[in-house]
Amino acid sequence: LLYADGRIDRAEAEFLVELHRRVERASPAFDRFYHAALKRHVLADGTVTPAAAAWLRRVIPADGTATAAERKLLREVRGEAAATCPEFDALFAECVT
């Protein structure tokens, strides 16, 4: 249902974030789905906008540190983006490097 229209909008992404936070033990399959959906949401137009970077800053290091899966997500977003903004570049530097 989340992909019914071929995209993940902000409300759907927020739903997934809340669901991911509430799951005690996420399966590897759910984690892959979750990160792929976040990536699709952030890269909806192929670039990382300042608004998307601010949203990622709230979502990714929710506990103050990025997990290995979150760092992988940031690397993938950076690699697949046609362009990134300074806000995303700063988040990437904080979490990945």
Side-chain angles (χ1 to χ4, degrees):
L1 292 174
L2 292 171
Y3 283 105
D5 60 0
R7 63 187 196 94
I8 298 292
D9 64 26
R10 180 60 54 92
E12 292 163 335
E14 291 287 350
F15 168 77
L16 286 171
V17 168
E18 186 60 29
L19 183 61
H20 193 261
R21 285 183 181 153
R22 290 181 183 213
V23 172
E24 288 185 30
R25 291 186 192 119
S27 70
F30 178 70
D31 276 341
R32 285 189 301 274
F33 172 79
Y34 171 71
H35 287 103
L38 293 188
K39 182 171 58 170
R40 178 173 269 195
H41 172 64
V42 170
L43 292 174
D45 67 354
T47 64
V48 182
T49 65
W55 183 78
L56 276 173
R57 182 170 289 284
R58 278 190 319 109
V59 171
I60 294 293
D63 61 356
T65 59
T67 66
E70 291 166 338
R71 288 189 302 273
K72 180 180 182 227
L73 169 65
L74 291 172
R75 280 190 216 94
E76 289 177 3
V77 167
R78 185 177 184 206
E80 294 178 26
T84 60
C85 61
E87 294 86 352
F88 176 81
D89 297 337
L91 175 63
F92 185 87
E94 290 169 27
C95 294
V96 177
T97 58

